Amino acid sequence: AKDSGKNRYVAYHKSMREGVINILAVENDLKRALKAREFEAYYQPIVNLADGRLYGFEALARWNHPERGMVNPGEFIPVAEETGLIVELGMQILEQACGVMNTWRKKHPIASELTIAVNISAKQFGESSLAADVASLLERSGLPSYCLKLEITETVVMLDAMKSTNQLNLLKDLGILLSIDDFGTGYSSMSYLQKFPTDQLKIDLSFVQRMESAPENIEIIRAIVNMAHSLRLRVVAEGIETERQRDLLYSLQCDYGQGYLYSKPLCEADAEDFVKNSE
Ligand code: C2E
Ligand code: CA
Ligand code: CA
Ligand code: CA
């Protein structure tokens, strides 16, 4: 009872103000970092679950901060999204990812079969110029469009399904691959899923990691895979850390896998070694 409502309010108010100040500080730092090109794409391998062969990579943003070292996206993506800076940040990551994949294609025969997946945020997906921006970036990088995959979260595409269908169609017309990310965490309507010109669903790691402790997740994954396959979509599972998870997902007929069992996200040089070692 000592923790009176008034004190709680004061504490809440104070932390809120600190929160705002912190967001402003991060926003300014983000702006500076975008100019200084401090954001770096890391690349996490995605493999065929059947034989473990390399299928492609997902580009994941890291902030190579001059004082704080390598910063993970959880610490800057939310502020970047809130301030709109994610649009520029996303483009810098997309540009790096396309450039790197095109370089690998010229150097390593196996790379000609690989795809590179890049995350598209809610703000980016809402931009009417997105397809045109992706098209000009592809052209500048020289990467064939069928090598690029964009990942858009289920929550974002389902927010306004009609508008999303238009945006996805514009992107699909470029010849790229489309994947619905974090699948299962939102609410999808089958009828829209079927209308979206998508190629893949990506099962969120929360389902994969709870498969053994809460076996109902196995049934959820089974249902997602069956539904996806009936719509001719491929399924990627993320967050695979153990052989047991891999075996379960393979038995559920999941197509591709990604996770620490195979590799953590790698810097460009290490990812290139991973490509070489896959040959
Ligand atoms: P995501 O798109 O769902 O990416 C998967 C996250 O799971 C990544 O975290 C990855 O490092 C992590 N992960 C992969 N395998 C494992 C595993 O076996 N175990 C565990 N515990 N984690 C695993 P990361 O790199 O910290 O990225 C977090 C989120 O930040 C991403 O989630 C994505 O939503 C966002 N993000 C990252 N880069 C970008 C970007 O360039 N643009 C946008 N819009 N969002 C990004
Ligand atoms: Ca993703
Ligand atoms: Ca995500
Ligand atoms: Ca996820």
Side-chain angles (χ1 to χ4, degrees):
K2 286 264 154 13
D3 184 17
S4 78
K6 186 172 174 243
N7 281 339
R8 264 206 311 272
Y9 173 76
V10 170
Y12 175 67
H13 194 74
K14 184 163 170 252
S15 76
M16 233 177 56
R17 237 183 59 203
E18 278 168 2
V20 169
I21 289 165
N22 189 43
I23 287 175
L24 285 173
V26 177
E27 178 177 3
N28 284 329
D29 206 18
L30 277 172
K31 282 184 182 157
R32 181 197 55 72
L34 282 167
K35 281 208 193 83
R37 301 246 154 201
E38 286 172 8
F39 295 97
E40 198 178 319
Y42 269 45
Y43 303 93
Q44 188 176 33
I46 303 174
V47 305
N48 275 294
L49 276 184
D51 54 13
R53 281 184 47 213
L54 185 61
Y55 164 72
F57 289 90
E58 176 179 15
L60 292 158
R62 298 288 180 269
W63 184 356
N64 195 352
H65 196 282
E67 284 143 33
R68 298 167 64 203
M70 218 36 112
V71 182
N72 279 330
E75 288 191 46
F76 60 86
I77 294 280
V79 181
E81 180 80 43
E82 209 170 312
T83 55
L85 294 169
I86 191 73
V87 176
E88 170 64 17
L89 173 49
M91 275 324 213
Q92 288 194 10
I93 295 296
L94 185 64
E95 186 172 8
Q96 288 178 38
C98 290
V100 161
M101 187 49 88
N102 203 44
T103 306
W104 292 347
R105 283 170 60 84
K106 290 184 185 137
K107 291 165 74 178
H108 313 290
I110 189 198
S112 64
E113 289 158 36
L114 303 178
T115 59
I116 180 81
V118 178
N119 293 288
I120 295 294
S121 76
K123 269 268 165 49
Q124 287 178 283
F125 191 67
E127 294 256 298
S128 55
S129 65
L130 179 63
D133 293 343
V134 172
S136 70
L137 216 145
L138 276 171
E139 196 167 306
R140 260 189 289 145
S141 73
L143 186 73
S145 58
Y146 55 83
C147 302
L148 176 65
K149 179 164 72 193
L150 297 184
E151 297 189 357
I152 303 132
T153 65
E154 179 188 31
T155 319
V156 167
V157 288
M158 287 300 163
L159 213 60
D160 184 344
M162 297 278 265
K163 215 170 140 201
S164 295
T165 309
N166 291 332
Q167 184 71 301
L168 293 169
N169 278 321
L170 290 174
L171 290 167
K172 194 62 210 174
D173 285 345
L174 303 177
I176 65 175
L177 297 164
L178 297 173
S179 178
I180 301 188
D181 204 359
D182 293 350
F183 195 82
T185 59
Y187 300 92
S188 274
S189 144
M190 271 282 270
S191 63
Y192 276 114
L193 261 188
Q194 176 211 321
K195 281 187 195 122
F196 291 153
T198 49
D199 304 279
Q200 297 184 353
L201 298 184
K202 195 162 189 181
I203 298 177
D204 191 57
L205 61 91
S206 58
F207 294 100
V208 174
Q209 305 200 326
R210 281 191 237 118
M211 266 192 310
E212 287 155 279
S213 59
E216 64 270 21
N217 288 291
I218 294 178
E219 295 315 315
I220 294 173
I221 294 174
R222 192 195 308 281
I224 292 175
V225 174
N226 288 342
M227 178 205 61
H229 284 168
S230 74
L231 296 173
R232 295 194 176 76
L233 302 172
R234 296 299 175 132
V235 183
V236 186
E238 70 179 7
I240 306 176
E241 294 181 354
T242 67
E243 290 284 351
R244 173 89 184 118
Q245 288 166 346
R246 188 217 83 95
D247 292 346
L248 271 169
L249 289 162
Y250 181 58
S251 74
L252 295 169
Q253 290 175 326
C254 213
D255 302 286
Y256 306 110
Q258 174 182 357
Y260 298 165
L261 174 65
Y262 299 103
S263 169
K264 297 205 165 189
L266 304 167
C267 70
E268 182 184 330
D270 290 347
E272 185 170 6
D273 284 339
F274 197 97
V275 172
K276 280 190 223 160
N277 294 333
S278 304
E279 282 175 335

